[in-house]
Amino acid sequence: MAANANNLVYERPAGFTDTPTHYCPGCTHGVAHRLVAEVLEDMGLLDRTIGVAPVGCSVFAYNYFDADFVEAPHGRAPAMATGLKRVLPDRIIFTYQGDGDLASIGMGEIVHAAARGENITVIFINNANYGMTGGQMAPTTLPGMKTTSSPNGRDVETQGYPIRVSEMLATLDGAGYVVRRSLHDPKNIRLAKKAIRLAFETQARGLGFALVELLSTCPTNWNLTPVESLKFVEEKMVSYFPLGDFKVSPSVAQVKV
Amino acid sequence: MKRELWEGNQAIAEAAVRAGLEAYFGYPITPQTEVLEYLSRRMPELGRAFVQAESELGAINMVYGAACAGVRVMSSSSSPGVSLMMEGLSYIAGTEIPAVLVNVMRGGPGLGNIAPSQGDYNQAVHGGGHGDYPRIVLAPASVQEAVDLMMLSFDLAEKYRMITMVIADGCIGQMMEPISLPEMKPVQRKDWEWATNGRMGKRERRILTSIYLDPYQEEKTNLRLLERWKQIQANEVRYKEYFMDDAEYVVIGFGTAGRVSLSAVRAARQHGIKVGLFRPVTVSPFPLHLIEDLAKRLSGILVVEMNSGQMLEDVRLAVKGRVPVEFYGRLGGVVPFPDEVLGEIQRMASGKSPSNFSPRDAWFERMAHPHPTPLPIRGRAG
Amino acid sequence: MPAAKGWIEVNDKYCKGCELCISACPPAVMELDMSHLTPTGYHPAHTFKDGCTGCAICALVCPDAAITVYREITKAVRATA
């Protein structure tokens, strides 16, 4: 059967460079990256986008997107994004951060960027551990979950409770669109892409701060296969981090894509 | 040119505006808060960017972001806040982009106090942030000089893709002096070949990062920074000299300490002592060769600082033991009076100091009986 | 109406043999190709029997954007397009 434009259903997004990613096999960082690249390509925004890469497994995100990119110190991406957006208001500025970067060391920066209503888009990858450094406890690690720094399982008495970032940021008046989605099956991946699209539409239309939290897998540090990891998200994480829309400002609610 | 009375902090802020400052990100901290407050009104007035960040940590990273876009951007803080910015400065240095930072130094360490000091010299000149990187540090001694150096700082930062720090102290920040402000320079947003401001259909994508995972690449980066530093050392040293033509002794001090010493030098001249003042304006690059030359023709050097002897070490490096180097310092926010420095000049000129001693130790012993703290103004006669 | 006929290409440069596509494929026509290694040492995914409908769910779940999906447009579909 001849392959031609009429037959093509899906191909690698133009927003991706040719560089193979360094992520572990089955890690849903790749899925999140792909969705962002697809959305930016669909919206024709790659040319005017500047991404801010975090410290974490996705520290080299700048190798994979065909757009300008800068590298932030750990946790400071929302501040760098603020600096960029304030001087380049007509560009699309987005950060891509993991749970350590955003919810631990960067907690101050993300709360205030949201409170200020900075017109940026934040992609927040929640995989319940610190991946790059070998699987330590994160602010999103579940109670009882074993990590390399909670070897007996997270003990809430001494190690506290996980933080539900989306719910927390949604209390801020400056937040325009704050939602949580998941990447554990095709249906949820499609919903995630719609949310990412809306998050970038929020910025493109000047409607405020947008954040999409994505429940993601970490097969290597969870000691599970990629397929088992998807199950872990579905069976264990979604109950603690419910999927849904936590803040949708009236103007964002009216956006039709 | 019109001369007006301006407070130091506000003059620094307005000078930056006139140099084409496009973005200011800062946080309140005494004694520089007026910079933030002034710009909170002035920047929006001119349609330029202003954010009071959540902390100095946030502020320096906002500066980092805007600097990546290639615009003129600065922050200002004081000692404890500048400590918070050290990570950001190291990243900015490693990314090789221009940025300006003003440190209005106060007494420390720790929370210290809000009085003027020069205790951050080492932090500014010799490091601060982690890693091998040079930085330009300018030290004004008056409000006018602070204005002039602010204009210069952006040019130097851009020319060399480097951080330029302006270290003032609480005196300069807070006092009011008559100054002439320069003309307003129009904002000129340049499309630097390294700036990440969006491909905009005109070019390939760009990345700005301080990551060099391959150590050999990192070494190349460090060497590249050093190459640029060599040019700066050759071309950008600035200093002021007073009464040096026939001097036998010299006082070396920067900023307010240098200014106080100038009064002492004038008084010493009245007493017939042939002493001059050498005041570095760039403490980084440090005028090593010039001081080395001075050491070849003078009989003694007195270093005066508002710290425990930080620039002292750079002076000793330059002097190479040729002549005695003495030291006088006040700490913790105490500002020396001219008569204290005059007493030191007289002691040095009397030839009572041997050449092989530690200037800091000798000073430290004398500090067991420091000059008395001044009485409140009301109770002071004359 | 007969199911559309689809086919895929898996790019060896990107596939890491993570098997997410295999698990997600509705007609279950995918498996790892154990006779072949990618340049980075993985067994890539491939279709091993007929039945691919070009639904592109494999591409949807693929973290490496390694899969290109094609679907034959049938005469019936063309007529109604």
Side-chain angles (χ1 to χ4, degrees):
Chain A
M1 213 71 53
N4 55 47
N6 284 332
N7 292 332
L8 184 66
V9 174
Y10 181 87
E11 65 177 344
R12 190 177 164 84
F16 261 12
T17 64
D18 289 338
T19 311
T21 69
H22 68 286
Y23 302 117
C24 299
C27 165
T28 50
H29 259 310
V31 179
H33 277 33
R34 217 194 63 230
L35 297 180
V36 171
E38 287 169 15
V39 164
L40 289 175
E41 190 188 336
D42 291 344
M43 295 175 71
L45 291 177
L46 283 166
D47 244 2
R48 56 185 333 113
T49 293
I50 300 143
V52 185
V55 171
C57 280
S58 47
V59 66
F60 293 121
Y62 54 65
N63 283 335
Y64 310 129
F65 291 91
D66 193 13
D68 278 3
F69 244 91
V70 301
E71 176 66 45
H74 202 18
R76 316 298 171 212
M80 276 193 87
T82 298
L84 280 161
K85 188 74 184 184
R86 291 292 182 127
V87 300
L88 298 170
D90 64 329
R91 308 293 200 264
I92 299 297
I93 312 292
F94 81 97
T95 76
Y96 184 100
Q97 304 174 255
D99 13 36
D101 199 88
L102 186 141
S104 193
I105 187 170
M107 188 58 99
E109 276 67 56
I110 192 66
V111 167
H112 283 275
R116 284 191 304 264
E118 295 295 338
N119 199 202
I120 59 175
T121 305
V122 175
I123 307 295
F124 169 40
I125 303 297
N126 175 350
N127 59 18
N129 83 124
Y130 287 179
M132 182 176 84
T133 42
Q136 294 80 32
M137 193 181 85
T140 44
T141 298
L142 301 172
M145 189 172 164
K146 287 192 181 153
T147 67
T148 62
S149 57
S150 59
N152 301 317
R154 181 176 192 151
D155 174 10
V156 296
E157 293 299 312
T158 56
Q159 297 175 304
Y161 293 86
I163 299 176
R164 296 186 177 93
V165 169
S166 289
E167 288 88 331
M168 195 177 76
L169 294 179
T171 65
L172 301 168
D173 290 345
Y177 182 68
V178 177
V179 305
R180 182 183 292 116
R181 299 287 186 267
S182 180
L183 299 174
H184 70 265
D185 65 18
K187 170 180 143 209
N188 279 287
I189 293 173
R190 288 195 181 102
L191 291 172
K193 181 170 176 177
K194 285 204 173 88
I196 292 170
R197 173 69 186 248
L198 200 44
F200 279 102
E201 290 284 351
T202 300
Q203 178 172 174
R205 294 162 195 246
L207 300 178
F209 174 87
L211 179 142
V212 179
E213 178 176 347
L214 296 170
L215 299 184
S216 304
T217 63
C218 182
T220 301
N221 290 317
W222 291 353
N223 283 309
L224 299 172
T225 68
V227 175
E228 286 169 351
S229 303
L230 298 179
K231 281 263 161 288
F232 182 85
V233 172
E234 185 178 19
E235 288 165 7
K236 295 277 161 53
M237 287 182 72
V238 172
S239 50
Y240 203 92
F241 298 107
L243 308 182
D245 296 357
F246 299 99
K247 178 75 184 286
V248 182
S249 71
S251 47
V252 174
Q254 286 176 12
V255 173
K256 295 273 173 283
V257 176
Chain B
M1 210 184 272
K2 190 168 68 157
R3 302 240 304 159
E4 304 171 299
L5 210 56
W6 277 74
E7 184 213 56
N9 285 330
Q10 299 191 343
I12 285 169
E14 180 62 23
V17 165
R18 296 199 185 193
L21 180 74
E22 284 205 61
Y24 174 85
F25 307 102
Y27 192 75
I29 180 169
T30 315
Q32 61 82 54
T33 304
E34 289 83 355
V35 179
L36 172 97
E37 289 172 339
Y38 181 87
L39 291 172
S40 75
R41 175 182 58 77
R42 189 81 168 112
M43 295 296 271
E45 202 170 78
L46 296 167
R48 307 188 195 178
F50 169 90
V51 179
Q52 177 181 315
E54 56 272 17
S55 68
E56 288 87 348
L57 205 53
I60 193 64
N61 282 283
M62 292 177 192
V63 166
Y64 186 16
C68 287
V71 308
R72 292 200 155 186
V73 56
M74 73 177 257
S75 184
S76 63
S77 188
S78 179
S79 318
V82 175
S83 285
L84 283 177
M85 294 185 174
M86 284 299 145
E87 175 197 53
L89 290 179
S90 178
Y91 276 72
I92 289 170
T95 309
E96 301 174 71
I97 53 181
V100 171
L101 175 64
V102 176
N103 180 1
V104 184
M105 298 182 282
R106 58 188 249 176
L111 194 60
N113 53 45
I114 56 174
S117 116
Q118 297 183 324
D120 307 340
Y121 176 94
N122 276 341
Q123 183 192 61
V125 171
H126 290 301
H130 58 282
D132 281 296
Y133 68 95
R135 82 291 298 153
I136 300 168
V137 183
L138 309 172
S142 68
V143 177
Q144 180 68 64
E145 194 168 38
V147 165
D148 299 336
L149 291 179
M150 278 313 295
M151 301 299 290
L152 178 66
S153 64
F154 292 98
D155 294 336
L156 289 177
E158 279 174 3
K159 182 174 175 186
Y160 295 103
R161 290 175 61 177
M162 188 167 288
I163 296 159
T164 301
M165 268 184 84
V166 177
I167 53 172
D169 59 58
C171 277
I172 295 169
Q174 291 293 316
M175 68 186 174
M176 295 189 79
E177 298 200 282
I179 58 163
S180 298
L181 280 165
E183 294 296 314
M184 177 79 84
K185 269 167 75 162
V187 164
Q188 259 189 317
R189 188 171 281 199
K190 301 183 193 72
D191 189 12
W192 302 103
E193 78 277 6
W194 44 262
T196 49
N197 43 21
R199 287 168 8 205
M200 305 307 284
K202 289 189 286 192
R203 57 165 172 81
E204 296 296 304
R205 70 199 181 102
R206 290 180 191 147
I207 300 171
L208 280 175
T209 178
S210 59
I211 300 180
Y212 294 90
L213 220 50
D214 174 357
Y216 295 98
Q217 292 301 317
E218 183 67 83
E219 187 174 53
K220 281 208 177 101
T221 296
N222 287 348
L223 289 170
R224 186 169 61 242
L225 292 177
L226 277 177
E227 260 314 307
R228 228 176 278 149
W229 183 239
K230 277 170 59 179
Q231 288 175 39
I232 296 171
Q233 283 177 311
N235 298 317
E236 305 294 349
V237 169
R238 287 166 172 79
Y239 64 97
K240 293 259 170 68
E241 278 184 325
Y242 308 81
F243 304 103
M244 286 305 297
D245 290 340
D246 64 339
E248 288 168 12
Y249 301 93
V250 68
V251 179
I252 304 182
F254 71 93
T256 295
R259 188 167 174 176
V260 167
S261 300
L262 182 57
S263 301
V265 161
R266 288 201 172 100
R269 280 278 173 176
Q270 299 274 314
H271 283 73
I273 302 173
K274 290 205 170 119
V275 63
L277 175 76
F278 182 93
R279 182 166 69 74
V281 172
T282 53
V283 285
S284 179
F286 194 71
L288 283 168
H289 296 305
L290 291 157
I291 292 175
E292 189 177 358
D293 290 341
L294 287 181
K296 286 177 185 157
R297 63 178 172 97
L298 298 173
S299 308
I301 296 178
L302 170 68
V303 174
V304 177
E305 295 184 83
M306 285 144 63
N307 59 43
S308 62
Q310 297 184 18
M311 186 187 65
L312 170 66
E313 302 304 334
D314 288 331
V315 170
R316 291 176 78 194
L317 207 64
V319 167
K320 298 181 183 167
R322 276 197 175 89
V323 286
V325 175
E326 300 234 26
F327 173 68
Y328 185 70
R330 296 307 301 258
L331 304 166
V334 175
V335 181
F337 276 79
D339 53 352
E340 297 169 47
V341 180
L342 175 62
E344 294 295 308
I345 293 172
Q346 287 169 323
R347 200 176 45 74
M348 171 172 65
S350 69
K352 286 204 189 109
S353 31
S355 62
N356 56 342
F357 67 101
S358 159
R360 191 183 286 103
D361 286 349
W363 156 78
F364 192 60
E365 274 177 33
R366 292 198 301 277
M367 281 299 279
H369 306 285
H371 289 261
T373 50
L375 298 168
I377 302 291
R378 268 193 322 252
R380 205 175 166 86
Chain C
M1 186 181 312
K5 181 160 166 55
W7 66 102
I8 63 168
E9 284 164 6
V10 177
N11 192 333
D12 268 10
K13 184 174 170 186
Y14 302 116
C15 178
K16 294 174 183 152
C18 73
E19 302 191 57
L20 293 189
C21 56
I22 293 166
S23 162
C25 173
V29 299
M30 295 186 72
E31 66 171 13
L32 292 184
D33 184 355
M34 302 308 286
S35 69
H36 178 61
L37 282 177
T38 68
T40 33
Y42 297 108
H43 291 294
H46 72 154
T47 48
F48 69 100
K49 62 180 181 184
D50 282 342
C52 172
T53 61
C55 73
I57 280 176
C58 55
L60 183 66
V61 303
C62 175
D64 296 278
I67 306 178
T68 309
V69 183
Y70 302 93
R71 186 192 304 151
E72 182 196 37
I73 302 175
T74 61
K75 277 197 226 144
V77 173
R78 241 194 289 266
T80 58

